[in-house]
Amino acid sequence: MIQIAAFLVFLAMGVTNLLAVQAGLTAVLGVPVLIALVVAVPVFYFRFVGSAAGIVGAIVGWQMPVPMAVLLFCWPVLVYGFLRGGAEARSFLARRAA
């Protein structure tokens, strides 16, 4: 059940990222929506380039505030860092207690 939920969340994030890149290309370059979608697919494929283009697209194309756009595309990294930090802290405290 958790795997299905995670898949759906990341699918929604991927579609959102793709649409943000498309909106940014349309807003910045003024190309038609269909051409922007075709150009957005290869840009979206590269992990960090796609995320950066998604952030720019959300800011320019959707007029989203910068902190909200960054949070929209970077929250998995923040959650991972929080969980990883908690695991490291537990490991460190377990070694000290032993």
Side-chain angles (χ1 to χ4, degrees), residues 18 21-22 25-26 31-44:
L18 182 63
V21 172
Q22 177 193 17
L25 288 170
T26 302
V31 296
V33 175
L34 189 58
I35 294 173
L37 180 63
V38 170
V39 173
V41 170
V43 171
F44 162 75

Side-chain angles (χ1 to χ4, degrees), residues 6-29:
F7 171 76
L8 292 175
V9 166
F10 280 101
L11 179 66
M13 286 183 55
V15 170
T16 303
N17 194 349
L18 182 63
L19 293 176
V21 172
Q22 177 193 17
L25 288 170
T26 302
V28 171
L29 300 178

